[in-house]
Structures are given as C-alpha cells and as structure tokens.
Amino acid sequence: MASRLHKRFPTHHGHGEVKVSRYFVLYVAQVAWIALGFYLYSGAYWPSTCQPDNLLEIYSCSARLPQDGGGWREAALLTWLWATPILIALEISRRMDKGQK
C-alpha cells in the first residue's frame, strides 16, 4: 500500500504546501502562549525571599516559586518560564536548517 501512495504523488517528498490556515493557527497559538504567561505571572505568589524586578531576576527567582506553599499557578509559571526559551531556540534552529538545504 505504501508503494501506491508514492505513485499517487510522485512530486511530493514530504514537503507539502503550507496553507494560510496553518499560519493562522501558528500565530493564534503564539498569542495564546504569551497570554498564558502574562496570566500566570500576574497571579503568581513570589516568595518573600525573592521579589524580582527585571527579567534576569525573574529567571533566577523562578526556582523558588514552588516553595513556601506555592500552588498550581506558581508551578505552571516555572514550567512556562523555562519552556519558552527552549521553544524559541527550537524554532530558530528549525528556520536555520531550512536556509542550509
């Protein structure tokens, strides 16, 4: 059966056309991800030992978020904070690989 699929689309080798709807979904997901981060940050309880004022302090204090009886929002913010740079780096590396092919 796999051989029939290859004969059906002989010019397609794993690279399909990207439709407008895929870009729309991508940008909606990005806006929702940023909105989630703002929501989590606005309601998070920061421990008294660390009150961040800038982005660098937010990341250095983020390990203390689940301490002192932190709830689900603090745990989710910790995950969001550390997942965001990884996701950005993956997207950049994906785009750089496309340019080399």
Side-chain angles (χ1 to χ4, degrees):
M1 178 147 191
S3 62
R4 280 184 43 200
L5 292 176
H6 291 297
K7 291 177 186 176
R8 186 172 174 196
F9 298 109
T11 59
H12 292 140
H13 301 287
H15 301 286
E17 183 181 336
V18 178
K19 305 278 184 174
V20 174
S21 62
R22 290 181 85 186
Y23 284 111
F24 179 73
V25 169
L26 174 68
Y27 291 125
V28 167
Q30 288 175 349
V31 169
W33 183 256
I34 299 298
L36 174 66
F38 281 122
Y39 169 73
L40 293 172
Y41 180 78
S42 67
Y45 170 75
W46 291 91
S48 59
T49 57
C50 193
Q51 296 291 321
D53 292 327
N54 57 37
L55 188 62
L56 220 51
E57 290 179 5
I58 288 173
Y59 274 95
S60 64
C61 292
S62 67
R64 298 183 191 159
L65 277 170
Q67 297 173 357
D68 297 336
W72 69 269
R73 186 175 284 186
E74 288 78 14
L77 179 60
L78 172 67
T79 305
W80 187 92
L81 282 170
W82 288 100
T84 300
I86 294 169
L87 291 172
I88 291 170
L90 285 172
E91 181 64 22
I92 290 171
S93 71
R94 184 181 71 85
R95 291 185 185 269
M96 289 178 74
D97 284 345
K98 275 187 176 180
Q100 293 176 357
K101 289 182 181 179

